[in-house]
Amino acid sequence: MVGSGVTERPRVELIGADSASGLADLLHQFLEQTVDASDQKAEAARALRGAVVVRAAEDEAIAVRIAFQGDRIELRDIGTEATGSTPSIQGDFLSVAHVTSGQASPMALVLSRQLRVSFGLGQLPFLFRVLGFMRVDDGSDRPRRVPVLVLVLVPVLVLVLVLVFFLRK
């Protein structure tokens, strides 16, 4: 927060914009609009630290790395470049377009398997925050209800984590 009470927006930068893929352009425009939409979204973006790769299901050669660096969000086409252990989201262009236009929640698309995610267990909190950040708010002031599925999945995930921890010893 700056002295005026307005959250400083992270700069959204598309590296290699002149030759960027359609997916990179779409994500760049979406992220710019998202951080400009509200102080809450700008704060959420500034709090994110890490990278995620968004891959096009239609073409393995189309992939965009999004690096959240606090005061900056950097997008870069990476094509088929190896991503190592970077968490990734893969979906068809239409599903990604539905997320960026607010027509669908990224979590709903993950649960319906229209978006696929891969991640290490330790990356789950970061990936969950990224998907939450990408959700387009409907603009209403009504309180959001927690989906029943989330209420069921959270205890199950905690149980699985506890079992994995104790079974490793």
Side-chain angles (χ1 to χ4, degrees), residues 5 16 35 41 46 51 62 76 78 85 98 107 119 125 133 164:
V35 298
K41 287 291 188 178
R46 290 180 70 78
I62 299 176
R76 177 185 310 264
I78 60 168
S85 62
H98 283 156
M107 290 302 280
F119 54 91
F133 167 73
V164 166

Side-chain angles (χ1 to χ4, degrees), residues 54-72:
V54 179
R55 292 195 174 281
E58 301 89 349
D59 187 345
E60 286 276 325
I62 299 176
V64 179
R65 181 179 186 272
I66 305 171
F68 293 92
Q69 303 169 346
D71 64 342
R72 186 169 138 202

Side-chain angles (χ1 to χ4, degrees), residues 14 17-30 64 75 77:
L14 177 56
D18 294 340
S19 60
S21 66
L23 179 61
D25 282 332
L26 177 73
L27 290 169
H28 177 248
Q29 187 176 36
F30 168 70
V64 179
L75 294 92
D77 273 310

Side-chain angles (χ1 to χ4, degrees), residues 9-10 16 34 54 56 63 65 68 82 124 127 140:
R9 296 336 191 203
T34 300
V54 179
R65 181 179 186 272
F68 293 92
L124 184 59
L127 188 59
S140 70

Side-chain angles (χ1 to χ4, degrees), residues 15-159:
I15 307 300
D18 294 340
S19 60
S21 66
L23 179 61
D25 282 332
L26 177 73
L27 290 169
H28 177 248
Q29 187 176 36
F30 168 70
L31 290 170
E32 277 189 326
Q33 292 171 353
T34 300
V35 298
D36 287 342
S38 71
D39 287 346
Q40 183 180 15
K41 287 291 188 178
E43 284 179 34
R46 290 180 70 78
L48 288 169
R49 296 283 192 285
V52 64
V53 173
V54 179
R55 292 195 174 281
E58 301 89 349
D59 187 345
E60 286 276 325
I62 299 176
V64 179
R65 181 179 186 272
I66 305 171
F68 293 92
Q69 303 169 346
D71 64 342
R72 186 169 138 202
I73 302 171
E74 182 181 286
L75 294 92
R76 177 185 310 264
D77 273 310
I78 60 168
T80 57
E81 181 181 310
T83 59
S85 62
T86 305
S88 68
I89 302 168
Q90 182 176 14
D92 61 65
F93 194 81
L94 187 58
S95 295
V96 174
H98 283 156
V99 168
T100 60
S101 67
Q103 295 177 32
S105 158
M107 290 302 280
L109 292 178
V110 167
L111 293 173
S112 68
R113 297 184 182 171
Q114 291 174 295
L115 288 180
R116 291 181 301 281
V117 294
S118 63
F119 54 91
L121 194 55
Q123 298 166 325
L124 184 59
F126 170 72
L127 188 59
F128 191 72
R129 288 194 334 265
V130 167
L131 291 171
F133 167 73
M134 290 177 70
R135 185 180 50 73
V136 175
D137 295 326
D138 63 4
S140 70
D141 290 333
R142 68 174 184 226
R144 289 191 313 229
R145 294 186 333 211
V146 177
V148 173
L149 187 58
V150 171
L151 292 175
V152 171
L153 284 179
V154 168
V156 169
L157 283 173
V158 169
L159 179 62

